[in-house]
Amino acid sequence: MNRAQNSSGSLGKTGSIRKRKTAIRRDLQSQVSRLTLQSKVAAATVAGVFLLAPANAWAQCVVGATTVTCSDTTTTNTTLPANAPNDRNYNGSLPVPVTVTVGPGATVNGNGIAVSNIGGGGVTVTNNGTISVDAGNTPTAGGTAALAVSALGGPIVYTGGDITNNGSGNAFDATQTGGAGSVSITAGNISAASGQGVLVRDVATSTGISVTTGAVTALTAGKNAIDVQSQSLTGNVTEVANGNIQAGNA
């Protein structure tokens, strides 16, 4: 009887130990599962950061040796490198064109864009989106227009979409300041809330001006929709408007 009791007691202890081991094993498995889930969530979060980072990096103007490439960007009234990559104004002294590209469907707003080249290479702007100045803003860095372009010789070439100044200033200024250079503009719709629509100026040594636009609106009293004046002794001036021209000075 004692043996049976001892045997029974021994079996009871063994069963109890097994139950405790099973409980511990289940608890450990549960902890491992939770740790695995947490690790997966953490990895997904880290992966998300890396996936989002390139998109954030593109949402500004990226400056190369001779290029400025912009996606959606709200510019400040500053000159590079004061507030890179959101500066409005870019200056070059290059024998080749300073090239500005606004990406497909992108919006450059805030204070618009200004670019100049005093090296004789000219400026090329390709606008695959829109360029604008926000209401209440008065840009001054590099000019007062939503898009201000100047060159000391070489071709000024603009191709692309709409330009709007909802603040103070003109919509589009293109200026040759010296040397032998031309101005060629092929634009979409252009409008200015308080200034001129398109203003173009050159010098006696310039080689010609060509302006083609969509609708142009500049309804403030005394303002012109398209104001092109040439000092060139040899170059021709061509203007084509493929839309309504509305001006306060009409």
Side-chain angles (χ1 to χ4, degrees), residues 131 146 162-166 169-172 188-198 215-219:
I131 298 171
D162 298 350
I163 304 170
T164 303
N165 192 334
N166 294 310
N170 298 339
F172 186 6
N189 298 327
I190 295 174
S191 64
S194 64
Q196 316 260 50
V198 179
V216 182
T217 304
L219 292 175

Side-chain angles (χ1 to χ4, degrees), residues 9-239:
S10 177
L11 288 172
K13 289 180 181 178
T14 301
S16 178
I17 291 171
R18 286 176 179 172
K19 288 180 181 179
R20 285 198 297 272
K21 286 182 177 179
T22 300
I24 291 170
R25 187 179 298 111
R26 287 175 180 171
D27 185 57
L28 288 172
Q29 288 174 344
S30 176
Q31 291 180 28
V32 169
S33 297
R34 287 196 298 271
L35 288 171
T36 301
L37 178 61
Q38 290 171 357
S39 297
K40 288 180 178 178
V41 171
T45 302
V46 172
V49 170
F50 283 108
L51 288 172
L52 291 174
N56 290 336
W58 279 106
Q60 291 144 350
C61 291
V62 179
V63 181
T66 64
T67 62
V68 180
T69 304
C70 299
S71 186
D72 290 337
T73 306
T74 298
T75 60
T76 55
N77 189 27
T78 50
T79 298
L80 184 77
N83 192 35
N86 295 97
D87 294 302
R88 155 188 165 81
N89 185 33
Y90 300 89
N91 299 321
S93 180
L94 300 168
V96 297
V98 174
T99 301
V100 177
T101 303
V102 177
T107 298
V108 177
N109 60 3
N111 287 273
I113 298 176
V115 57
S116 66
N117 186 3
I118 61 171
V123 175
T124 298
V125 179
T126 303
N127 177 15
N128 297 306
T130 60
I131 298 171
S132 65
V133 169
D134 293 346
N137 287 352
T138 304
T140 55
T144 60
L147 176 60
V149 180
S150 68
L152 183 64
I156 291 176
V157 179
Y158 174 87
T159 305
D162 298 350
I163 304 170
T164 303
N165 192 334
N166 294 310
S168 297
N170 298 339
F172 186 6
D173 288 355
T175 307
Q176 285 285 357
T177 59
S182 59
V183 178
S184 175
I185 295 171
T186 305
N189 298 327
I190 295 174
S191 64
S194 64
Q196 316 260 50
V198 179
L199 185 145
V200 180
R201 298 289 187 269
D202 68 3
V203 294
T205 53
S206 296
T207 58
I209 297 172
S210 174
V211 177
T212 301
T213 68
V216 182
T217 304
L219 292 175
T220 298
K223 300 301 181 181
N224 298 310
I226 301 175
D227 182 351
V228 176
Q229 297 181 27
S230 177
Q231 305 300 318
S232 175
L233 301 176
T234 58
N236 295 323
V237 174
T238 303
E239 297 179 29

